[in-house]
Amino acid sequence: MGVLRLQLPTDPRWVNIVEKNIEEILTDHAWCEQKAATNAITIITNNSEHQDLVKDLLALAKEEIDHFEQVHNIIIKRGLKLGRERKDDYVNELYQYMKRSGDGSRVSGLVERLLFSAMIEARSCERFKVLSENIKDEELALFYRELMESEAGHYTTFITYARKYGTGIDVEKRWREWLAFEESIITNYGKGETIHG
């Protein structure tokens, strides 16, 4: 699917599920943004020697927190409530794959974390595109269109740094393996009113 290279597209009928529970999708989305900011900070914490990476991921983390605030503002405006943090089974499956995949070196750990992050951003971007093109709510259609463009930029940031700092690792081969793994699990999702569900 174009630049993101995802192997399986989301069925647009997923939006019909989402539309039945807007409060749930917004709550889940808000927590996705918070987790994305936390993930960027974790990468910075573990790889602080890379000044350019620190600078770019700080900007990314700020943007993710800004997105969290934007989603929260929509929730408030609509008289809804931000529910408790949701478990994300899709991200947890990717996380377990990442944990199994590294060779224990710092370089491998960094590359795996960056590819894990890129994978989440790629699928989130694709889901935002599906929402923007299919949801009947005009405000949310526009909102998800804008976020889709931002998520595509985040995906590019993570992939770029994996290539830059993946010394001795065939990053392109690893990314193809990540894409194949994601294809094997994504068929289990797209059935719930969550961003990855």
Side-chain angles (χ1 to χ4, degrees), residues 80-181:
L80 305 173
K81 289 250 187 326
L82 175 65
R84 302 290 293 173
E85 182 185 349
R86 304 302 197 249
K87 184 178 167 195
D88 191 325
D89 292 328
Y90 167 81
V91 170
N92 287 336
E93 284 200 63
L94 295 179
Y95 183 81
Q96 291 306 318
Y97 179 69
M98 174 186 71
K99 294 292 275 185
R100 292 192 304 268
S101 298
D103 65 12
S105 70
R106 287 197 75 226
V107 171
S108 172
L110 174 58
V111 167
E112 290 303 311
R113 189 73 184 217
L114 291 169
L115 295 181
F116 161 77
S117 305
M119 191 80 260
I120 296 167
E121 296 288 349
R123 183 55 71 182
S124 298
C125 179
E126 189 261 354
R127 287 282 165 96
F128 291 167
K129 182 175 190 289
V130 172
L131 278 168
S132 73
E133 292 174 350
N134 295 281
I135 201 163
K136 294 180 186 76
D137 186 310
E138 288 181 16
E139 180 190 26
L140 291 181
L142 179 61
F143 178 62
Y144 282 111
R145 177 83 198 168
E146 290 168 357
L147 284 193
M148 175 192 76
E149 292 162 8
S150 175
E151 299 296 307
H154 296 172
Y155 156 80
T156 302
T157 296
F158 288 123
I159 286 283
T160 299
Y161 278 113
R163 290 174 180 144
K164 180 170 185 177
Y165 289 117
T167 308
I169 295 170
D170 187 340
V171 174
E172 292 309 309
K173 178 172 179 284
R174 266 312 284 145
W175 183 236
R176 287 193 298 274
E177 290 165 358
W178 268 96
L179 288 165
F181 177 74

Side-chain angles (χ1 to χ4, degrees), residues 7-118:
Q7 304 300 296
L8 280 178
T10 296
D11 187 330
R13 288 175 297 181
W14 164 69
V15 178
N16 300 333
I17 299 167
V18 167
E19 287 177 318
K20 291 175 185 164
N21 195 344
I22 295 296
E23 186 169 26
E24 181 62 25
I25 189 77
L26 290 174
T27 285
D28 180 72
H29 179 193
W31 290 115
C32 285
E33 299 292 357
Q34 178 271 324
K35 289 172 195 168
T38 301
N39 179 59
I41 296 295
T42 298
I43 295 171
I44 289 168
T45 303
N46 294 332
N47 302 279
S48 56
E49 69 275 19
H50 301 305
Q51 200 170 53
D52 53 351
L53 180 142
V54 170
K55 186 170 177 290
D56 285 345
L57 290 195
L58 275 172
L60 188 149
K62 286 178 187 173
E63 197 168 295
E64 300 287 20
I65 285 296
D66 180 58
H67 292 166
F68 186 2
E69 183 179 24
Q70 287 179 49
V71 179
H72 189 236
N73 287 342
I74 291 172
I75 290 169
I76 293 167
K77 180 180 161 189
R78 292 176 176 227
L80 305 173
K81 289 250 187 326
L82 175 65
R84 302 290 293 173
E85 182 185 349
R86 304 302 197 249
K87 184 178 167 195
D88 191 325
D89 292 328
Y90 167 81
V91 170
N92 287 336
E93 284 200 63
L94 295 179
Y95 183 81
Q96 291 306 318
Y97 179 69
M98 174 186 71
K99 294 292 275 185
R100 292 192 304 268
S101 298
D103 65 12
S105 70
R106 287 197 75 226
V107 171
S108 172
L110 174 58
V111 167
E112 290 303 311
R113 189 73 184 217
L114 291 169
L115 295 181
F116 161 77
S117 305

